[in-house]
Amino acid sequence: HFGHPSGTGLIDGKNKKSGGLTAVVSPSLTKEALWNAMNNKSTYATTGERIYLEFNINNAEMGSEISATSNPIITARVIGTNNTQNISIIKYDSSGWKIVYSIEPNALFANFSYTDAKFDETSIYYLRVKQAGNSQDNISQAWSSPIRVNKE
């Protein structure tokens, strides 16, 4: 172990992984704004690449808990550091975790909107991004904080 969080500590260079990154989505860089953003779970994580991620449901930011009477409208924006291979919306409800929407943009930028027409109970959603890495064997990923949508 070389003091790198989530690092393998291997020195052979074959299986060594760098630590991940946490991003905080905040309106400003003041201590108070950053603390509020972290407290509200307005955060996401990556495997190390500086992938930019926006994820909203009915205009509520990631980390939120909201109520809805109609089908939730999910919007996302991704800016990768390499071509984005796959972006998935993952949902949890009484039947478990499942991918409810997925695109393969093969581009640096992606914007989309999706309406969950099968919203019939309280559900949790998050966004997962996979992009091409720096080598053939490497895939970089990012995950949003979840948004809980309570069915009214």
Side-chain angles (χ1 to χ4, degrees):
H1 191 282
F2 295 105
H4 298 281
S6 78
T8 63
L10 299 174
I11 58 173
D12 65 0
K14 293 178 185 171
N15 297 310
K16 188 173 181 184
K17 303 242 184 236
S18 63
L21 296 174
T22 300
V24 178
V25 181
S26 174
S28 70
L29 295 178
T30 65
K31 183 167 59 170
E32 182 179 2
L34 289 169
W35 177 257
N36 287 338
M38 287 185 283
N39 193 42
N40 294 331
K41 299 179 235 39
S42 189
T43 59
Y44 63 95
T46 77
T47 54
E49 293 294 322
R50 296 182 182 275
I51 300 168
Y52 177 80
L53 176 62
E54 290 178 13
F55 174 60
N56 299 289
I57 298 179
N58 298 349
N59 295 317
E61 295 181 350
M62 59 184 110
S64 299
E65 181 173 347
I66 62 172
S67 295
T69 56
S70 59
N71 294 338
I73 300 169
I74 301 165
T75 58
R77 180 178 180 205
V78 175
I79 302 173
T81 59
N82 206 339
N83 281 349
T84 303
Q85 296 174 330
N86 179 276
I87 303 171
S88 298
I89 297 171
I90 300 170
K91 175 182 178 179
Y92 179 81
D93 59 20
S94 63
S95 63
W97 292 103
K98 59 186 160 281
I99 295 172
V100 293
Y101 182 76
S102 187
I103 61 170
E104 295 179 355
N106 196 30
L108 290 175
F109 306 98
N111 292 299
F112 66 88
S113 181
Y114 167 77
T115 301
D116 185 4
K118 295 182 179 180
F119 176 68
D120 52 6
E121 63 181 309
T122 294
S123 303
I124 298 170
Y125 300 84
Y126 76 92
L127 193 71
R128 181 183 64 205
V129 177
K130 293 182 180 180
Q131 78 169 18
N134 296 332
S135 69
Q136 240 180 339
D137 302 334
N138 191 9
I139 293 178
S140 298
Q141 296 189 63
W143 302 265
S144 73
S145 286
I147 299 175
R148 180 185 173 108
V149 183
N150 298 310
K151 177 76 173 178
E152 285 191 347

